Amino acid sequence: MAITYKWAIPSLDTFDTYTDEQGNTETDVIALIHWILTATDSGTNVSVKRIGVVKANIDDLSGFTAFN
């Protein structure tokens, strides 16, 4: 009986434009990350899900990396 874990990120909440505390302005800045973790026992085929949201630290965008 092994337990397998599966992470999913079904959605991200973003700011179209955001200016941090130092005055750095960026576009499409991720603010919230919605996640789901599913654990499944292979022996019993029983699954348990945990759902949560994590707030991204966007106080300092000086090291911001833009992705298309």
Short mmCIF file of all heavy atoms in Angstrom, two decimals:
data_model
loop_
_atom_site.label_atom_id
_atom_site.label_comp_id
_atom_site.label_asym_id
_atom_site.label_seq_id
_atom_site.Cartn_x
_atom_site.Cartn_y
_atom_site.Cartn_z
N MET A 1 0.84 -1.18 0.00
CA MET A 1 0.00 0.00 0.00
C MET A 1 0.88 1.24 0.00
O MET A 1 1.50 1.57 1.00
CB MET A 1 -0.91 0.02 1.23
CG MET A 1 -1.98 -1.03 1.22
SD MET A 1 -3.12 -0.85 2.59
CE MET A 1 -2.14 -1.47 3.93
N ALA A 2 0.87 1.89 -1.11
CA ALA A 2 1.64 3.14 -1.23
C ALA A 2 0.67 4.30 -1.38
O ALA A 2 -0.41 4.16 -1.94
CB ALA A 2 2.56 3.06 -2.44
N ILE A 3 1.10 5.41 -0.87
CA ILE A 3 0.29 6.62 -1.03
C ILE A 3 0.97 7.50 -2.06
O ILE A 3 2.17 7.78 -1.98
CB ILE A 3 0.14 7.37 0.31
CG1 ILE A 3 -0.61 6.48 1.30
CG2 ILE A 3 -0.59 8.69 0.10
CD1 ILE A 3 -0.76 7.07 2.68
N THR A 4 0.20 7.91 -3.04
CA THR A 4 0.71 8.83 -4.06
C THR A 4 0.09 10.20 -3.84
O THR A 4 -1.05 10.32 -3.37
CB THR A 4 0.39 8.34 -5.48
OG1 THR A 4 -1.03 8.19 -5.63
CG2 THR A 4 1.06 7.01 -5.78
N TYR A 5 0.86 11.21 -4.17
CA TYR A 5 0.41 12.60 -3.99
C TYR A 5 0.39 13.30 -5.34
O TYR A 5 1.31 13.13 -6.14
CB TYR A 5 1.35 13.34 -3.04
CG TYR A 5 1.39 12.73 -1.66
CD1 TYR A 5 2.35 11.78 -1.32
CD2 TYR A 5 0.46 13.10 -0.70
CE1 TYR A 5 2.39 11.22 -0.07
CE2 TYR A 5 0.49 12.54 0.57
CZ TYR A 5 1.46 11.59 0.88
OH TYR A 5 1.48 11.04 2.13
N LYS A 6 -0.65 14.07 -5.55
CA LYS A 6 -0.76 14.83 -6.80
C LYS A 6 -1.10 16.28 -6.44
O LYS A 6 -2.10 16.56 -5.77
CB LYS A 6 -1.87 14.25 -7.69
CG LYS A 6 -2.06 15.01 -8.97
CD LYS A 6 -3.22 14.44 -9.78
CE LYS A 6 -3.49 15.33 -10.98
NZ LYS A 6 -4.74 14.94 -11.64
N TRP A 7 -0.24 17.18 -6.91
CA TRP A 7 -0.47 18.61 -6.72
C TRP A 7 -1.11 19.18 -7.98
O TRP A 7 -0.75 18.80 -9.09
CB TRP A 7 0.84 19.35 -6.49
CG TRP A 7 1.41 19.19 -5.12
CD1 TRP A 7 2.35 18.29 -4.74
CD2 TRP A 7 1.06 19.95 -3.96
NE1 TRP A 7 2.63 18.45 -3.40
CE2 TRP A 7 1.86 19.46 -2.90
CE3 TRP A 7 0.18 20.99 -3.72
CZ2 TRP A 7 1.78 19.98 -1.62
CZ3 TRP A 7 0.12 21.52 -2.43
CH2 TRP A 7 0.90 21.01 -1.41
N ALA A 8 -2.02 20.12 -7.81
CA ALA A 8 -2.62 20.83 -8.94
C ALA A 8 -2.76 22.29 -8.56
O ALA A 8 -3.01 22.63 -7.39
CB ALA A 8 -3.98 20.24 -9.29
N ILE A 9 -2.56 23.14 -9.53
CA ILE A 9 -2.79 24.58 -9.37
C ILE A 9 -3.86 24.96 -10.39
O ILE A 9 -3.56 25.22 -11.55
CB ILE A 9 -1.50 25.39 -9.57
CG1 ILE A 9 -0.47 24.98 -8.53
CG2 ILE A 9 -1.78 26.89 -9.48
CD1 ILE A 9 0.88 25.61 -8.70
N PRO A 10 -5.13 24.94 -9.96
CA PRO A 10 -6.22 25.18 -10.91
C PRO A 10 -6.37 26.63 -11.34
O PRO A 10 -6.91 26.89 -12.42
CB PRO A 10 -7.46 24.70 -10.17
CG PRO A 10 -7.11 24.79 -8.73
CD PRO A 10 -5.63 24.57 -8.64
N SER A 11 -5.90 27.56 -10.52
CA SER A 11 -6.03 28.97 -10.92
C SER A 11 -5.06 29.86 -10.18
O SER A 11 -4.56 29.52 -9.10
CB SER A 11 -7.47 29.47 -10.71
OG SER A 11 -7.78 29.50 -9.34
N LEU A 12 -4.79 30.99 -10.79
CA LEU A 12 -3.95 32.03 -10.22
C LEU A 12 -4.71 33.35 -10.30
O LEU A 12 -5.34 33.63 -11.32
CB LEU A 12 -2.65 32.17 -11.01
CG LEU A 12 -1.76 30.94 -11.12
CD1 LEU A 12 -0.67 31.17 -12.16
CD2 LEU A 12 -1.14 30.61 -9.78
N ASP A 13 -4.66 34.13 -9.25
CA ASP A 13 -5.23 35.47 -9.29
C ASP A 13 -4.08 36.45 -9.52
O ASP A 13 -3.05 36.37 -8.83
CB ASP A 13 -5.94 35.81 -7.99
CG ASP A 13 -7.18 34.96 -7.74
OD1 ASP A 13 -7.64 34.29 -8.69
OD2 ASP A 13 -7.67 34.95 -6.60
N THR A 14 -4.26 37.35 -10.47
CA THR A 14 -3.19 38.28 -10.82
C THR A 14 -3.67 39.72 -10.81
O THR A 14 -4.86 39.99 -10.90
CB THR A 14 -2.63 37.97 -12.23
OG1 THR A 14 -3.68 38.16 -13.19
CG2 THR A 14 -2.09 36.55 -12.32
N PHE A 15 -2.70 40.61 -10.70
CA PHE A 15 -2.94 42.03 -10.91
C PHE A 15 -2.52 42.33 -12.34
O PHE A 15 -1.43 41.93 -12.76
CB PHE A 15 -2.11 42.89 -9.97
CG PHE A 15 -2.55 42.85 -8.53
CD1 PHE A 15 -1.77 42.24 -7.57
CD2 PHE A 15 -3.73 43.46 -8.14
CE1 PHE A 15 -2.16 42.20 -6.24
CE2 PHE A 15 -4.14 43.43 -6.82
CZ PHE A 15 -3.35 42.80 -5.87
N ASP A 16 -3.35 43.04 -13.09
CA ASP A 16 -2.95 43.45 -14.44
C ASP A 16 -1.69 44.30 -14.38
O ASP A 16 -0.77 44.12 -15.16
CB ASP A 16 -4.07 44.22 -15.14
CG ASP A 16 -5.27 43.33 -15.46
OD1 ASP A 16 -5.08 42.11 -15.62
OD2 ASP A 16 -6.38 43.87 -15.55
N THR A 17 -1.67 45.24 -13.44
CA THR A 17 -0.50 46.09 -13.19
C THR A 17 -0.38 46.25 -11.68
O THR A 17 -1.39 46.46 -10.99
CB THR A 17 -0.66 47.48 -13.84
OG1 THR A 17 -0.87 47.31 -15.23
CG2 THR A 17 0.57 48.33 -13.61
N TYR A 18 0.85 46.13 -11.16
CA TYR A 18 1.06 46.26 -9.72
C TYR A 18 2.34 47.04 -9.46
O TYR A 18 3.37 46.81 -10.11
CB TYR A 18 1.16 44.87 -9.06
CG TYR A 18 1.29 44.93 -7.57
CD1 TYR A 18 0.18 45.12 -6.77
CD2 TYR A 18 2.53 44.81 -6.96
CE1 TYR A 18 0.30 45.20 -5.39
CE2 TYR A 18 2.67 44.87 -5.58
CZ TYR A 18 1.54 45.07 -4.80
OH TYR A 18 1.65 45.14 -3.44
N THR A 19 2.28 47.95 -8.48
CA THR A 19 3.45 48.71 -8.06
C THR A 19 3.77 48.34 -6.63
O THR A 19 2.91 48.44 -5.74
CB THR A 19 3.19 50.22 -8.17
OG1 THR A 19 2.83 50.54 -9.52
CG2 THR A 19 4.43 51.02 -7.78
N ASP A 20 5.01 47.88 -6.39
CA ASP A 20 5.41 47.45 -5.05
C ASP A 20 5.76 48.65 -4.17
O ASP A 20 5.66 49.81 -4.59
CB ASP A 20 6.54 46.43 -5.10
CG ASP A 20 7.87 47.01 -5.57
OD1 ASP A 20 8.02 48.24 -5.66
OD2 ASP A 20 8.79 46.21 -5.83
N GLU A 21 6.20 48.36 -2.95
CA GLU A 21 6.51 49.41 -1.97
C GLU A 21 7.70 50.27 -2.36
O GLU A 21 7.86 51.38 -1.86
CB GLU A 21 6.76 48.76 -0.61
CG GLU A 21 5.54 48.04 -0.06
CD GLU A 21 5.83 47.24 1.18
OE1 GLU A 21 7.00 47.14 1.60
OE2 GLU A 21 4.86 46.70 1.76
N GLN A 22 8.57 49.78 -3.26
CA GLN A 22 9.74 50.53 -3.70
C GLN A 22 9.47 51.32 -4.99
O GLN A 22 10.35 51.99 -5.50
CB GLN A 22 10.93 49.59 -3.94
CG GLN A 22 11.52 48.98 -2.69
CD GLN A 22 10.66 47.86 -2.12
OE1 GLN A 22 10.01 47.13 -2.85
NE2 GLN A 22 10.64 47.74 -0.81
N GLY A 23 8.27 51.18 -5.54
CA GLY A 23 7.92 51.90 -6.75
C GLY A 23 8.14 51.11 -8.03
O GLY A 23 7.97 51.65 -9.12
N ASN A 24 8.53 49.82 -7.94
CA ASN A 24 8.69 48.98 -9.12
C ASN A 24 7.31 48.59 -9.64
O ASN A 24 6.48 48.11 -8.87
CB ASN A 24 9.46 47.69 -8.78
CG ASN A 24 10.84 47.98 -8.25
OD1 ASN A 24 11.61 48.70 -8.84
ND2 ASN A 24 11.15 47.42 -7.08
N THR A 25 7.07 48.78 -10.92
CA THR A 25 5.79 48.45 -11.52
C THR A 25 5.97 47.33 -12.54
O THR A 25 6.86 47.39 -13.38
CB THR A 25 5.16 49.68 -12.21
OG1 THR A 25 4.96 50.70 -11.22
CG2 THR A 25 3.82 49.34 -12.84
N GLU A 26 5.12 46.31 -12.43
CA GLU A 26 5.14 45.17 -13.34
C GLU A 26 3.71 44.85 -13.76
O GLU A 26 2.76 45.28 -13.12
CB GLU A 26 5.77 43.94 -12.69
CG GLU A 26 7.21 44.12 -12.26
CD GLU A 26 8.19 44.19 -13.42
OE1 GLU A 26 7.81 43.89 -14.57
OE2 GLU A 26 9.35 44.56 -13.16
N THR A 27 3.59 44.07 -14.83
CA THR A 27 2.27 43.64 -15.30
C THR A 27 2.11 42.14 -15.07
O THR A 27 3.09 41.40 -15.00
CB THR A 27 2.07 43.96 -16.79
OG1 THR A 27 3.09 43.31 -17.54
CG2 THR A 27 2.12 45.45 -17.04
N ASP A 28 0.86 41.71 -14.97
CA ASP A 28 0.52 40.30 -14.76
C ASP A 28 1.26 39.70 -13.57
O ASP A 28 1.93 38.67 -13.66
CB ASP A 28 0.79 39.47 -16.03
CG ASP A 28 -0.08 39.89 -17.19
OD1 ASP A 28 -1.23 40.29 -16.95
OD2 ASP A 28 0.39 39.82 -18.33
N VAL A 29 1.10 40.32 -12.42
CA VAL A 29 1.77 39.89 -11.19
C VAL A 29 0.84 38.92 -10.43
O VAL A 29 -0.31 39.25 -10.14
CB VAL A 29 2.11 41.09 -10.30
CG1 VAL A 29 2.73 40.64 -8.98
CG2 VAL A 29 3.05 42.04 -11.03
N ILE A 30 1.35 37.72 -10.14
CA ILE A 30 0.56 36.73 -9.42
C ILE A 30 0.41 37.16 -7.96
O ILE A 30 1.40 37.44 -7.28
CB ILE A 30 1.21 35.34 -9.49
CG1 ILE A 30 1.23 34.85 -10.94
CG2 ILE A 30 0.49 34.34 -8.58
CD1 ILE A 30 2.04 33.60 -11.16
N ALA A 31 -0.84 37.20 -7.48
CA ALA A 31 -1.11 37.59 -6.10
C ALA A 31 -1.54 36.41 -5.24
O ALA A 31 -1.13 36.29 -4.09
CB ALA A 31 -2.18 38.67 -6.07
N LEU A 32 -2.38 35.53 -5.80
CA LEU A 32 -2.89 34.37 -5.06
C LEU A 32 -2.71 33.10 -5.89
O LEU A 32 -2.98 33.10 -7.10
CB LEU A 32 -4.37 34.53 -4.73
CG LEU A 32 -4.75 35.67 -3.79
CD1 LEU A 32 -6.27 35.78 -3.70
CD2 LEU A 32 -4.16 35.47 -2.41
N ILE A 33 -2.30 32.03 -5.23
CA ILE A 33 -2.12 30.74 -5.88
C ILE A 33 -3.11 29.76 -5.24
O ILE A 33 -3.04 29.49 -4.04
CB ILE A 33 -0.68 30.22 -5.70
CG1 ILE A 33 0.32 31.25 -6.22
CG2 ILE A 33 -0.50 28.85 -6.36
CD1 ILE A 33 1.71 31.09 -5.70
N HIS A 34 -4.05 29.26 -6.02
CA HIS A 34 -5.04 28.29 -5.55
C HIS A 34 -4.48 26.89 -5.82
O HIS A 34 -4.06 26.61 -6.95
CB HIS A 34 -6.37 28.48 -6.29
CG HIS A 34 -6.96 29.83 -6.09
ND1 HIS A 34 -7.91 30.07 -5.12
CD2 HIS A 34 -6.72 31.01 -6.69
CE1 HIS A 34 -8.25 31.35 -5.16
NE2 HIS A 34 -7.53 31.95 -6.11
N TRP A 35 -4.46 26.02 -4.81
CA TRP A 35 -3.87 24.70 -4.97
C TRP A 35 -4.79 23.60 -4.46
O TRP A 35 -5.66 23.85 -3.63
CB TRP A 35 -2.52 24.61 -4.27
CG TRP A 35 -2.53 24.92 -2.81
CD1 TRP A 35 -2.27 26.13 -2.23
CD2 TRP A 35 -2.84 24.02 -1.73
NE1 TRP A 35 -2.39 26.04 -0.87
CE2 TRP A 35 -2.73 24.75 -0.54
CE3 TRP A 35 -3.18 22.68 -1.65
CZ2 TRP A 35 -2.98 24.18 0.71
CZ3 TRP A 35 -3.42 22.11 -0.42
CH2 TRP A 35 -3.31 22.86 0.75
N ILE A 36 -4.56 22.40 -4.99
CA ILE A 36 -5.25 21.19 -4.53
C ILE A 36 -4.20 20.09 -4.39
O ILE A 36 -3.41 19.86 -5.30
CB ILE A 36 -6.32 20.72 -5.54
CG1 ILE A 36 -7.38 21.80 -5.77
CG2 ILE A 36 -6.98 19.42 -5.06
CD1 ILE A 36 -8.34 21.49 -6.90
N LEU A 37 -4.19 19.42 -3.25
CA LEU A 37 -3.31 18.27 -3.02
C LEU A 37 -4.20 17.05 -2.83
O LEU A 37 -5.07 17.04 -1.96
CB LEU A 37 -2.43 18.47 -1.79
CG LEU A 37 -1.58 17.28 -1.36
CD1 LEU A 37 -0.60 16.87 -2.46
CD2 LEU A 37 -0.85 17.58 -0.07
N THR A 38 -4.00 16.02 -3.65
CA THR A 38 -4.76 14.78 -3.55
C THR A 38 -3.81 13.66 -3.16
O THR A 38 -2.79 13.44 -3.81
CB THR A 38 -5.43 14.44 -4.89
OG1 THR A 38 -6.24 15.54 -5.31
CG2 THR A 38 -6.31 13.19 -4.77
N ALA A 39 -4.15 12.95 -2.08
CA ALA A 39 -3.38 11.78 -1.63
C ALA A 39 -4.25 10.55 -1.87
O ALA A 39 -5.42 10.52 -1.45
CB ALA A 39 -3.03 11.91 -0.16
N THR A 40 -3.70 9.54 -2.55
CA THR A 40 -4.45 8.33 -2.86
C THR A 40 -3.69 7.11 -2.37
O THR A 40 -2.51 6.93 -2.67
CB THR A 40 -4.69 8.21 -4.39
OG1 THR A 40 -5.35 9.39 -4.85
CG2 THR A 40 -5.53 6.99 -4.72
N ASP A 41 -4.39 6.26 -1.62
CA ASP A 41 -3.84 5.00 -1.14
C ASP A 41 -4.08 3.95 -2.22
O ASP A 41 -5.23 3.65 -2.55
CB ASP A 41 -4.51 4.59 0.17
CG ASP A 41 -3.91 3.36 0.79
OD1 ASP A 41 -3.59 2.40 0.04
OD2 ASP A 41 -3.76 3.34 2.01
N SER A 42 -3.01 3.37 -2.78
CA SER A 42 -3.15 2.41 -3.87
C SER A 42 -3.79 1.10 -3.42
O SER A 42 -4.42 0.41 -4.21
CB SER A 42 -1.79 2.13 -4.51
OG SER A 42 -0.92 1.53 -3.57
N GLY A 43 -3.66 0.76 -2.15
CA GLY A 43 -4.24 -0.49 -1.65
C GLY A 43 -5.74 -0.43 -1.49
O GLY A 43 -6.45 -1.38 -1.81
N THR A 44 -6.25 0.69 -1.02
CA THR A 44 -7.69 0.83 -0.79
C THR A 44 -8.37 1.71 -1.83
O THR A 44 -9.60 1.77 -1.87
CB THR A 44 -7.95 1.43 0.60
OG1 THR A 44 -7.36 2.74 0.64
CG2 THR A 44 -7.39 0.56 1.70
N ASN A 45 -7.56 2.40 -2.63
CA ASN A 45 -8.06 3.34 -3.63
C ASN A 45 -8.87 4.48 -3.00
O ASN A 45 -9.77 5.04 -3.61
CB ASN A 45 -8.86 2.65 -4.72
CG ASN A 45 -8.86 3.45 -6.01
OD1 ASN A 45 -7.90 4.17 -6.31
ND2 ASN A 45 -9.93 3.35 -6.78
N VAL A 46 -8.54 4.80 -1.76
CA VAL A 46 -9.20 5.91 -1.06
C VAL A 46 -8.36 7.16 -1.28
O VAL A 46 -7.14 7.15 -1.17
CB VAL A 46 -9.33 5.60 0.45
CG1 VAL A 46 -9.83 6.83 1.21
CG2 VAL A 46 -10.24 4.42 0.67
N SER A 47 -9.06 8.26 -1.61
CA SER A 47 -8.39 9.54 -1.84
C SER A 47 -8.86 10.59 -0.86
O SER A 47 -10.02 10.57 -0.43
CB SER A 47 -8.67 10.04 -3.26
OG SER A 47 -8.08 9.20 -4.21
N VAL A 48 -7.96 11.47 -0.52
CA VAL A 48 -8.27 12.62 0.34
C VAL A 48 -7.73 13.85 -0.36
O VAL A 48 -6.62 13.84 -0.89
CB VAL A 48 -7.61 12.47 1.73
CG1 VAL A 48 -7.84 13.72 2.56
CG2 VAL A 48 -8.12 11.24 2.44
N LYS A 49 -8.53 14.91 -0.38
CA LYS A 49 -8.10 16.17 -1.00
C LYS A 49 -8.01 17.27 0.04
O LYS A 49 -8.82 17.35 0.95
CB LYS A 49 -9.09 16.61 -2.09
CG LYS A 49 -9.05 15.80 -3.33
CD LYS A 49 -9.93 16.41 -4.40
CE LYS A 49 -9.86 15.55 -5.66
NZ LYS A 49 -10.62 16.13 -6.76
N ARG A 50 -7.03 18.11 -0.15
CA ARG A 50 -6.90 19.34 0.62
C ARG A 50 -6.82 20.48 -0.39
O ARG A 50 -6.10 20.38 -1.39
CB ARG A 50 -5.65 19.34 1.50
CG ARG A 50 -5.69 18.32 2.59
CD ARG A 50 -6.74 18.70 3.64
NE ARG A 50 -6.78 17.73 4.71
CZ ARG A 50 -7.81 16.93 4.94
NH1 ARG A 50 -8.86 16.95 4.16
NH2 ARG A 50 -7.79 16.09 5.95
N ILE A 51 -7.54 21.53 -0.09
CA ILE A 51 -7.60 22.68 -0.99
C ILE A 51 -7.16 23.91 -0.21
O ILE A 51 -7.50 24.06 0.96
CB ILE A 51 -9.03 22.88 -1.53
CG1 ILE A 51 -9.47 21.64 -2.31
CG2 ILE A 51 -9.14 24.12 -2.39
CD1 ILE A 51 -10.93 21.63 -2.70
N GLY A 52 -6.39 24.78 -0.86
CA GLY A 52 -5.93 25.97 -0.17
C GLY A 52 -5.55 27.09 -1.11
O GLY A 52 -5.57 26.95 -2.33
N VAL A 53 -5.21 28.19 -0.50
CA VAL A 53 -4.78 29.38 -1.23
C VAL A 53 -3.55 29.94 -0.52
O VAL A 53 -3.51 29.99 0.71
CB VAL A 53 -5.89 30.47 -1.25
CG1 VAL A 53 -5.40 31.72 -1.95
CG2 VAL A 53 -7.15 29.93 -1.90
N VAL A 54 -2.55 30.32 -1.31
CA VAL A 54 -1.34 30.93 -0.77
C VAL A 54 -1.21 32.33 -1.36
O VAL A 54 -1.36 32.52 -2.58
CB VAL A 54 -0.08 30.10 -1.13
CG1 VAL A 54 1.17 30.81 -0.67
CG2 VAL A 54 -0.17 28.72 -0.54
N LYS A 55 -0.95 33.30 -0.50
CA LYS A 55 -0.72 34.67 -0.95
C LYS A 55 0.76 34.82 -1.31
O LYS A 55 1.63 34.49 -0.52
CB LYS A 55 -1.09 35.66 0.15
CG LYS A 55 -0.91 37.09 -0.24
CD LYS A 55 -1.26 38.04 0.89
CE LYS A 55 -0.99 39.45 0.45
NZ LYS A 55 -0.99 40.38 1.56
N ALA A 56 1.01 35.29 -2.51
CA ALA A 56 2.40 35.51 -2.96
C ALA A 56 2.95 36.76 -2.29
O ALA A 56 2.23 37.74 -2.09
CB ALA A 56 2.44 35.64 -4.47
N ASN A 57 4.24 36.74 -1.97
CA ASN A 57 4.89 37.92 -1.41
C ASN A 57 5.28 38.84 -2.57
O ASN A 57 6.22 38.55 -3.31
CB ASN A 57 6.12 37.51 -0.61
CG ASN A 57 6.82 38.70 0.02
OD1 ASN A 57 6.46 39.85 -0.21
ND2 ASN A 57 7.82 38.43 0.81
N ILE A 58 4.55 39.91 -2.72
CA ILE A 58 4.82 40.85 -3.82
C ILE A 58 5.21 42.22 -3.28
O ILE A 58 5.03 43.24 -3.94
CB ILE A 58 3.61 40.94 -4.78
CG1 ILE A 58 2.32 41.29 -4.04
CG2 ILE A 58 3.46 39.63 -5.56
CD1 ILE A 58 1.12 41.48 -4.95
N ASP A 59 5.78 42.24 -2.07
CA ASP A 59 6.23 43.50 -1.47
C ASP A 59 7.42 44.10 -2.19
O ASP A 59 7.63 45.30 -2.16
CB ASP A 59 6.59 43.29 0.00
CG ASP A 59 5.38 42.91 0.85
OD1 ASP A 59 4.26 43.20 0.42
OD2 ASP A 59 5.59 42.33 1.92
N ASP A 60 8.23 43.24 -2.84
CA ASP A 60 9.43 43.70 -3.53
C ASP A 60 9.52 42.99 -4.89
O ASP A 60 9.78 41.80 -4.95
CB ASP A 60 10.68 43.40 -2.69
CG ASP A 60 11.97 43.87 -3.34
OD1 ASP A 60 11.92 44.48 -4.43
OD2 ASP A 60 13.04 43.63 -2.75
N LEU A 61 9.30 43.73 -5.95
CA LEU A 61 9.32 43.15 -7.30
C LEU A 61 10.65 43.35 -8.01
O LEU A 61 10.75 43.14 -9.21
CB LEU A 61 8.20 43.78 -8.15
CG LEU A 61 6.77 43.53 -7.68
CD1 LEU A 61 5.78 44.25 -8.61
CD2 LEU A 61 6.45 42.05 -7.62
N SER A 62 11.71 43.71 -7.28
CA SER A 62 12.99 43.99 -7.93
C SER A 62 13.56 42.74 -8.63
O SER A 62 14.28 42.88 -9.62
CB SER A 62 14.00 44.54 -6.93
OG SER A 62 14.25 43.61 -5.90
N GLY A 63 13.22 41.55 -8.16
CA GLY A 63 13.69 40.33 -8.81
C GLY A 63 12.61 39.66 -9.64
O GLY A 63 12.70 38.47 -9.93
N PHE A 64 11.59 40.42 -10.04
CA PHE A 64 10.45 39.88 -10.79
C PHE A 64 10.89 39.25 -12.10
O PHE A 64 11.71 39.81 -12.83
CB PHE A 64 9.44 41.00 -11.06
CG PHE A 64 8.18 40.55 -11.74
CD1 PHE A 64 7.15 39.97 -11.02
CD2 PHE A 64 8.02 40.72 -13.11
CE1 PHE A 64 5.98 39.57 -11.64
CE2 PHE A 64 6.86 40.33 -13.75
CZ PHE A 64 5.84 39.75 -13.01
N THR A 65 10.35 38.09 -12.42
CA THR A 65 10.60 37.42 -13.70
C THR A 65 9.29 37.35 -14.46
O THR A 65 8.31 36.77 -13.97
CB THR A 65 11.15 35.99 -13.48
OG1 THR A 65 12.36 36.08 -12.72
CG2 THR A 65 11.41 35.30 -14.80
N ALA A 66 9.26 37.92 -15.64
CA ALA A 66 8.05 37.90 -16.48
C ALA A 66 8.03 36.64 -17.33
O ALA A 66 9.05 36.21 -17.85
CB ALA A 66 8.02 39.14 -17.37
N PHE A 67 6.86 36.02 -17.43
CA PHE A 67 6.65 34.86 -18.28
C PHE A 67 5.53 35.17 -19.24
O PHE A 67 4.57 35.85 -18.89
CB PHE A 67 6.29 33.63 -17.45
CG PHE A 67 7.39 33.15 -16.56
CD1 PHE A 67 7.46 33.52 -15.24
CD2 PHE A 67 8.38 32.33 -17.06
CE1 PHE A 67 8.46 33.08 -14.41
CE2 PHE A 67 9.41 31.87 -16.25
CZ PHE A 67 9.45 32.25 -14.92
N ASN A 68 5.61 34.65 -20.45
CA ASN A 68 4.53 34.83 -21.43
C ASN A 68 3.41 33.86 -21.14
O ASN A 68 3.58 32.78 -20.73
CB ASN A 68 5.03 34.61 -22.84
CG ASN A 68 5.96 35.73 -23.27
OD1 ASN A 68 5.85 36.85 -22.78
ND2 ASN A 68 6.88 35.44 -24.15
#
